[in-house]
Amino acid sequence: MFLRSFRILGIATVALLGIALAPARSAAEQGWPLNPENRGGGFVSPRYYGNAVPSYSAFAPPLIAAPALASTLIRVQVPTQARVWFENQPTSQTGPVRAFVSPALTPGREFSYTVRAMWRDGGRQIQRQQVVTFMAGDAVSIDFTTSMVSVSR
C-alpha cells in the first residue's frame, strides 16, 4: 500500500512539474490584450470568460482634416534705393517693386507684419513704417511712395 501511494504521489508531482515548466504562449501570440483590472498583470482569455471585452477600441476615431496652410504675397513699392525691413529683419531685394511671400499660415486667423522702409531723398533721410494685417491667402500691397496699403481677399 505504501508503495502504491508513493507511485501516485510521484506521478502527480511529475504532472504538476510538467505543467509548471511548460512554455506559456505570450499575450502577443494569443492576440488578446492584457487585462488592466488585474493588478497582477495577468491575462484574460476569451476561452475562460465568455463576456471578456478587449481593453482597446475596435473602431478608430474619425479623422479630422487639418486646415490647408496658405501663404500670403506681400508686394512693396518703394524708391529704387530704399532698404526694407520686415519685423526689424532686413531684406535683400532691390528695385522699385519687391515681392515677399510669407511662410505657410493657418487659414481663418489674422496675422500682421510691421514693414519699414528707409531711403534718401536729396540730402534728407526718409523713413516710413506700416503695420499690415492680413489673413492666409490674401494679397497685400504697400506703396511707401504714396503711403497706401491695400489687402485683397
Side-chain angles (χ1 to χ4, degrees), residues 34-42 44 53-55:
L34 293 176
N35 182 4
E37 280 80 32
N38 186 343
R39 302 269 186 239
V44 174
V53 176
S55 62

Side-chain angles (χ1 to χ4, degrees), residues 4-6 9 35 41 45 52 55 58 61 68 72 96 102 111 126 130-131 133 135 145 153:
R4 183 179 163 131
S5 297
F6 186 77
L9 183 60
N35 182 4
S45 171
S55 62
T72 294
S102 73
F111 299 90
I126 298 174
Q130 284 288 342
V131 176
T133 302
M135 297 180 82
T145 62
R153 296 201 161 113

Side-chain angles (χ1 to χ4, degrees), residues 74 76 78-79 81-93 98 100 112-120 125-132 142 144:
I74 301 172
V76 179
V78 292
Q81 75 279 11
R83 294 185 299 167
V84 177
W85 290 263
F86 274 78
E87 297 294 320
N88 291 322
Q89 295 295 315
T91 63
S92 59
Q93 289 186 29
R98 305 173 193 189
F100 303 95
S112 66
Y113 282 132
T114 301
V115 183
R116 181 170 49 109
M118 187 171 28
W119 67 90
R120 294 194 81 68
Q125 181 172 320
I126 298 174
Q127 181 172 319
R128 294 202 177 132
Q129 179 172 304
Q130 284 288 342
V131 176
V132 291
I142 304 169
F144 281 114

Side-chain angles (χ1 to χ4, degrees), residues 1 13 23 35 37-38 48 51 63 82 89 103 107 110 121-122 125 136 143 151:
M1 168 96 175
T13 303
N35 182 4
E37 280 80 32
N38 186 343
Y48 303 117
N51 295 331
L63 296 176
Q89 295 295 315
E110 280 194 340
D121 184 18
Q125 181 172 320
D143 187 348
V151 176

